[in-house]
Amino acid sequence: MKLIIAEKPDQGLKLAAPFSFKKRNGYLEIAPNSLFPEGAILTWAVGHLCELVPPEEYDPKWKRWSINTLPMIPDTFHYRVSKSKAKQFHIVRELAKRSNVEEIIHAGDAGREGELIVRTILQTAHIHKPMKRLWISSLTEKAVKEGFRALLSEKETYPLYEEAYSRACADWLVGMNASRIYTLLMKQNGITDVFSAGRVQTPTLALVVKREKEIASFVSKPFWEVLAMFDMDGKQYEGKWHNKQESRLDQPEMAAKIAAFCKGKPASVHEVNTERKEFQPPYLFNLSSLQATANRAFTFSPKKTLDIAQSLYTKGFISYPRSDSSFVTKGEAEGFAAILQKLSKQDAYKLYFPTPITSISRNRRYVNEKKVTDHYAIIPTEQVPTVSKLQEDERKLYDLIVKRLIAAHYESAIFDYTTVTTLVDGRATFLSKGKQLIRQGWRTVLFAENSKDDDDEVLLPMLQQGELGIVVNVKVKEGKTQPPKRYTEGQLITLMKTAGKVLEDQQLEKVLNKTEGLGTEATRAGIITMLKDRKYIEVKKNQVFAKEKGTLLIDAIGEQILASPEMTARWEQRLSEIGAGMADATKFMEQVRKLATTIIAHAVEGAKDWDFSHVDKEQFQQKSPYKKTSVPLGLCKKCDGEMVDKGTFYGCTNYAKTKCTFTISKKILGKTISQANVKKLLATGTTNIIKGFKKGEKTFDAKLEWKEEGIAFVFSNTEKKDD
């Protein structure tokens, strides 16, 4: 008899669905059938049932956090059963030990993590029976049956286990050692919080902190542009003054002079250049591009997109969601006709049929066997749901995936881009740019009628070189330079994919079809969630902000290799090579062990130059849940009560009795006011100098002083407040 081990309970039920079965405690009994003449037993993990053991199980002295015991480098790594999942582990182990179980079918998700999860259970349970591998990209009844008919040898996917195991051990080595050394060194500097660092999370955080600093250091400058409206025999259009490819002027006086010069002057069309551009339909989705698109369209977080996609996959409606490929095999492409036929009957998609192109099976933009890695692109399966009955978020995501496939069966979109150079009085040069849609093509599917694309469409009249006219209006427009924008979560996913490179759309489209960057398709959403949970970043209105704790950690790490996106991307490439059987896992782990030692040395050396005198250290103090926060900080300035920390502000203990309303804000102009400074303010009337107050785009340092009318800023002779 065969034992089938799935990765999750719901996946197990889908694998059993084509057969008659009975439910038992933690497993299913599949009745004899043509595929399993003796029947089969099907059980499952609940994600990772086993975990790498903690440091103290390798060496008791590693239990205590001490710089002297670092780096921690085990000779070999071991797994243990997760306490919260021990019950299911014992069920799987006992089933695998049954004497009538002669073969095991590994049916975890067809990917690196699935490979690791099931093999680790069997190794920890000391099961050494013959094994085959189920490898499928969708959970439809057809795909499940075909998969069981074409089981792989377990040796074919073993390199993926080596990749996932190497990744887990590397993350343990880097994460355990880096987290301890930076937490301990921070403590020596008076910051007693726990700082988590890691192989992927730290360079990702560094990208966010870098952008935050670019925004903080940006100094906005005003500029002026001259805009003129031309009339060429009744044909009107606007142009912008240019000189040597520069349209912005630093002085308003100069802009005013140019405008005055041009007013009412004759104008001529000096040059008309038209370039026709053809845009192919976008590639099919891999997980990164799906997450980026769903974030842009619906502000879904990457984790939310993955969770919804996983739900659609488990229901059999889409293919495997953790795919890093945007291509399909010829066999899959030949099945599109049947899928599209079913979709054409749905009210949501009738409008797009029949498609101009009936088959893309020979189109290399979508069909490329060599670029299909573990899985092909994320596509709808032949199991088409009634779209209107899907949950709202599922419908939105399914709609994105369906429309990408339909759009692939449309022609390219064509635009004419026109640049007109206009001379005023033969001297002043103005440029006008516009575009004209020649063929809608795939945009019919992916852009709703009358919707705006990323750039506004400016339609220019038909103009010929040499036409003469006049300036009918001219104006000066004032603007100011803008700081870089914060990343959205979708853009952060893309940055992780490109190892921090900000690329043009054309370059990006190609890069997103390669396996590289920070983390994998399956782990990137989890890394961003981890950074949120650890209070390193926060997301407000879909913008990613670096919090002070995250900035502090990256400042401490500095330019060390731990924060390098390029280094981590190279590692990720090496791990992928291990999974493809092209690189040696043992040599890779030797490099990681050396890196762990280097991280400790760099941190200890770098800490000698740390200066955290500007940091409000009290906000990072770990507080016991049993510690009372009502420790008196000083006497109230309005009554005989005492001032205490009330969480978001400092207030008087007499509020309940006398309604005393004396308070001190905990944050003033973006700066947290520490308990130590509140004590000094109440005792002496002034605080120490507090650095980093922010007002608008200006920052300044000042003391706070208590006056009868309230709290005021006090500046030293060298400090000046910017109004």
Side-chain angles (χ1 to χ4, degrees):
M1 183 175 281
K2 302 183 191 306
L3 171 66
I4 305 163
I5 306 177
E7 188 172 322
K8 296 177 283 289
D10 52 3
Q11 181 194 44
L13 287 167
K14 292 296 287 189
L15 294 176
F19 316 107
S20 175
F21 64 87
K22 291 181 181 179
K23 289 186 178 181
R24 302 299 186 200
N25 183 23
Y27 66 98
L28 308 173
E29 286 182 353
I30 296 175
N33 57 73
S34 59
L35 279 171
F36 302 107
E38 298 178 14
I41 303 168
L42 192 153
T43 188
W44 47 79
V46 189
H48 289 273
L49 296 187
C50 302
E51 60 192 11
L52 284 168
V53 303
E56 59 269 20
E57 290 195 23
Y58 294 109
D59 190 329
K61 72 173 182 287
W62 287 348
K63 184 171 184 177
R64 182 174 176 272
W65 286 42
S66 168
I67 294 177
N68 296 330
T69 61
L70 299 177
M72 303 177 292
I73 303 178
D75 294 328
T76 56
F77 285 90
H78 304 292
Y79 277 85
R80 69 179 184 184
V81 180
S82 174
K83 289 182 180 179
S84 63
K85 300 178 181 179
K87 181 180 177 182
Q88 188 60 24
F89 173 83
H90 293 308
I91 289 171
V92 176
R93 183 182 65 182
E94 294 310 309
L95 291 171
K97 283 185 173 181
R98 285 188 183 181
S99 58
N100 63 338
V101 170
E102 299 168 349
E103 184 178 83
I104 293 170
I105 297 176
H106 181 329
D109 273 356
R112 307 169 187 86
E113 284 304 299
E115 197 70 28
L116 179 68
I117 286 169
V118 175
R119 286 185 186 265
T120 301
I121 293 168
L122 295 173
Q123 288 177 3
T124 307
H126 305 292
I127 304 297
H128 305 289
K129 293 185 177 181
M131 185 165 71
K132 293 283 179 65
R133 184 64 160 102
L134 175 70
W135 194 270
I136 55 178
S137 287
S138 75
L139 289 173
T140 64
E141 185 171 318
K142 177 185 174 184
V144 169
K145 285 184 174 179
E146 287 179 353
F148 279 125
R149 288 192 189 100
L151 293 169
L152 304 178
S153 160
E154 62 92 13
K155 291 181 180 178
E156 291 182 66
T157 58
Y158 184 76
L160 284 175
Y161 161 74
E162 286 194 305
E163 176 189 346
Y165 176 70
S166 298
R167 176 178 277 105
C169 296
D171 288 345
W172 191 102
L173 275 171
V174 175
M176 288 289 183
N177 284 293
S179 298
R180 287 200 178 189
I181 190 62
Y182 282 101
T183 297
L184 291 165
L185 290 171
M186 289 285 197
K187 188 175 181 180
Q188 289 182 355
N189 281 265
I191 301 171
T192 57
D193 202 344
V194 176
F195 286 81
S196 167
R199 184 182 63 88
V200 180
Q201 61 165 301
T202 301
T204 302
L205 175 60
L207 294 174
V208 179
V209 170
K210 180 183 178 185
R211 175 52 56 96
E212 198 73 43
K213 290 188 172 185
E214 289 170 350
I215 294 169
S217 63
F218 183 84
V219 178
S220 182
K221 295 180 180 178
F223 64 85
W224 291 264
E225 294 177 318
V226 181
L227 304 175
M229 179 63 70
F230 303 106
D231 188 300
M232 302 289 174
D233 194 22
K235 295 181 287 189
Q236 292 197 348
Y237 63 98
E238 190 175 67
K240 185 184 293 184
W241 176 86
H242 271 255
N243 182 30
K244 298 179 181 178
Q245 302 302 313
E246 181 55 64
S247 66
R248 295 176 174 181
L249 293 155
D250 296 331
Q251 300 297 325
E253 296 82 7
M254 180 57 70
K257 285 181 181 179
I258 294 171
F261 167 80
C262 294
K263 191 173 183 179
K265 288 286 197 332
S268 62
V269 177
H270 178 69
E271 194 174 13
V272 179
N273 287 320
T274 299
E275 181 183 4
R276 179 158 290 186
K277 290 186 179 181
E278 186 175 0
F279 297 90
Q280 297 299 325
Y283 286 99
L284 300 174
F285 282 121
N286 59 24
L287 180 57
S288 288
S289 59
L290 179 61
Q291 288 169 319
T293 302
N295 180 260
R296 188 168 60 248
F298 313 122
T299 66
F300 287 175
S301 70
K303 183 180 185 302
K304 181 173 181 176
T305 296
L306 179 54
D307 289 345
I308 297 168
Q310 183 68 36
S311 174
L312 289 168
Y313 166 68
T314 302
K315 292 175 180 178
F317 299 150
I318 66 169
S319 61
Y320 186 68
R322 291 175 170 82
S323 176
D324 59 7
S325 176
S326 295
F327 300 89
V328 296
T329 63
K330 187 176 181 182
E332 287 302 323
E334 288 171 348
F336 287 163
I339 296 170
L340 291 174
Q341 175 63 25
K342 291 180 181 179
L343 289 168
S344 69
K345 296 176 181 178
Q346 299 269 339
D347 289 340
Y349 308 118
K350 283 180 180 178
L351 181 67
Y352 308 123
F353 291 92
T355 58
I357 298 169
T358 56
S359 174
I360 58 171
S361 61
R362 295 187 178 182
N363 187 336
R364 297 281 291 174
R365 184 171 179 82
Y366 306 105
V367 182
N368 191 328
E369 306 271 351
K370 293 179 181 178
K371 292 186 178 181
V372 175
T373 50
D374 297 347
H375 296 278
Y376 46 78
I378 303 172
I379 56 172
T381 67
E382 71 275 8
Q383 189 175 316
V384 174
T386 302
V387 179
S388 59
K389 292 184 179 179
L390 289 173
Q391 296 174 7
E392 183 181 3
D393 288 345
E394 287 185 337
R395 177 179 53 75
K396 287 178 177 178
L397 205 66
Y398 185 73
D399 187 67
L400 286 181
I401 296 165
V402 164
K403 284 184 176 178
R404 273 290 171 107
L405 180 61
I406 297 174
H409 290 76
Y410 269 68
E411 299 163 311
S412 60
I414 298 176
F415 285 91
D416 276 352
Y417 289 82
T418 301
T419 301
V420 177
T421 304
T422 305
L423 287 183
V424 174
D425 203 27
R427 294 171 60 187
T429 302
F430 286 76
L431 290 185
S432 308
K433 294 186 177 183
K435 68 177 180 179
Q436 185 176 8
L437 178 63
I438 304 302
R439 184 169 73 193
Q440 183 84 344
W442 56 269
R443 290 167 57 90
T444 304
V445 182
L446 295 186
F447 293 95
E449 195 172 351
N450 298 324
S451 71
K452 286 190 175 182
D453 200 348
D454 291 337
D455 54 345
D456 293 331
E457 296 182 10
V458 178
L459 296 178
L460 294 172
M462 296 297 293
L463 296 165
Q464 300 293 328
Q465 184 176 348
E467 286 192 61
L468 301 177
I470 193 169
V471 177
V472 293
N473 187 33
V474 63
K475 62 183 179 181
V476 174
K477 181 182 177 182
E478 183 179 355
K480 62 179 182 178
T481 55
Q482 297 297 314
K485 292 183 179 179
R486 287 185 171 84
Y487 301 123
T488 65
E489 285 191 87
Q491 290 168 334
L492 187 54
I493 281 282
T494 302
L495 276 178
M496 293 175 75
K497 178 88 175 182
T498 60
K501 301 183 186 77
V502 178
L503 304 175
E504 297 297 324
D505 285 347
Q506 295 87 342
Q507 297 173 293
L508 187 60
E509 197 173 47
K510 294 176 182 177
V511 169
L512 289 179
N513 290 301
K514 300 177 183 177
T515 302
E516 59 173 287
L518 310 180
T520 67
E521 302 294 306
T523 61
R524 290 181 190 123
I527 292 294
I528 294 175
T529 300
M530 183 190 300
L531 292 175
K532 292 182 200 173
D533 292 344
R534 291 175 177 169
K535 311 300 181 187
Y536 289 152
I537 65 172
E538 62 181 336
V539 179
K540 295 185 287 190
K541 295 182 179 179
N542 200 33
Q543 290 187 310
V544 182
F545 291 74
K547 298 189 76 172
E548 194 163 358
K549 184 176 179 181
T551 302
L552 188 60
L553 177 62
I554 297 303
D555 284 348
I557 294 172
E559 299 296 320
Q560 302 300 342
I561 197 168
L562 180 60
S564 165
E566 294 80 7
M567 184 280 296
T568 306
R570 287 196 297 271
W571 273 30
E572 211 64 63
Q573 189 62 42
R574 183 55 54 86
L575 284 162
S576 295
E577 290 169 1
I578 291 171
M582 298 162 53
D584 185 86
T586 304
K587 289 182 179 178
F588 173 78
M589 288 308 301
E590 286 174 4
Q591 292 179 327
V592 179
R593 288 182 169 92
K594 289 178 183 177
L595 178 68
T597 302
T598 302
I599 287 171
I600 302 301
H602 282 174
V604 171
E605 186 62 30
K608 295 175 183 177
D609 299 322
W610 289 354
D611 179 12
F612 296 140
S613 58
H614 64 289
V615 175
D616 174 13
K617 297 176 182 178
E618 284 195 23
Q619 66 178 302
F620 297 112
Q621 308 305 308
Q622 283 191 316
K623 293 180 176 65
S624 165
Y626 305 107
K627 183 179 178 180
K628 293 182 179 179
T629 58
S630 57
V631 177
L633 302 174
L635 294 177
C636 175
K637 292 290 185 181
K638 289 191 175 180
C639 71
D640 60 352
E642 293 178 325
M643 294 293 288
V644 296
D645 187 339
K646 293 201 171 187
T648 57
F649 64 94
Y650 301 104
C652 179
T653 54
N654 278 346
Y655 174 75
K657 291 189 295 184
T658 67
K659 300 299 179 186
C660 177
T661 57
F662 180 60
T663 60
I664 299 172
S665 296
K666 189 171 276 190
K667 259 199 172 177
I668 298 176
L669 295 186
K671 193 67 184 173
T672 301
I673 311 304
S674 68
Q675 289 188 7
N677 270 316
V678 170
K679 285 180 180 178
K680 194 168 190 298
L681 177 69
L682 295 171
T684 67
T686 61
T687 65
N688 296 319
I689 290 179
I690 300 172
K691 295 185 176 182
F693 289 112
K694 290 183 180 179
K695 186 173 183 180
E697 295 174 356
K698 305 292 185 180
T699 61
F700 63 92
D701 305 336
K703 293 181 179 181
L704 296 179
E705 182 180 46
W706 163 250
K707 294 184 177 180
E708 287 301 321
E709 59 272 20
I711 292 175
F713 292 107
V714 177
F715 304 93
S716 66
N717 293 333
T718 58
E719 294 291 342
K720 180 183 177 183
K721 181 181 176 184
D722 295 290
D723 293 320

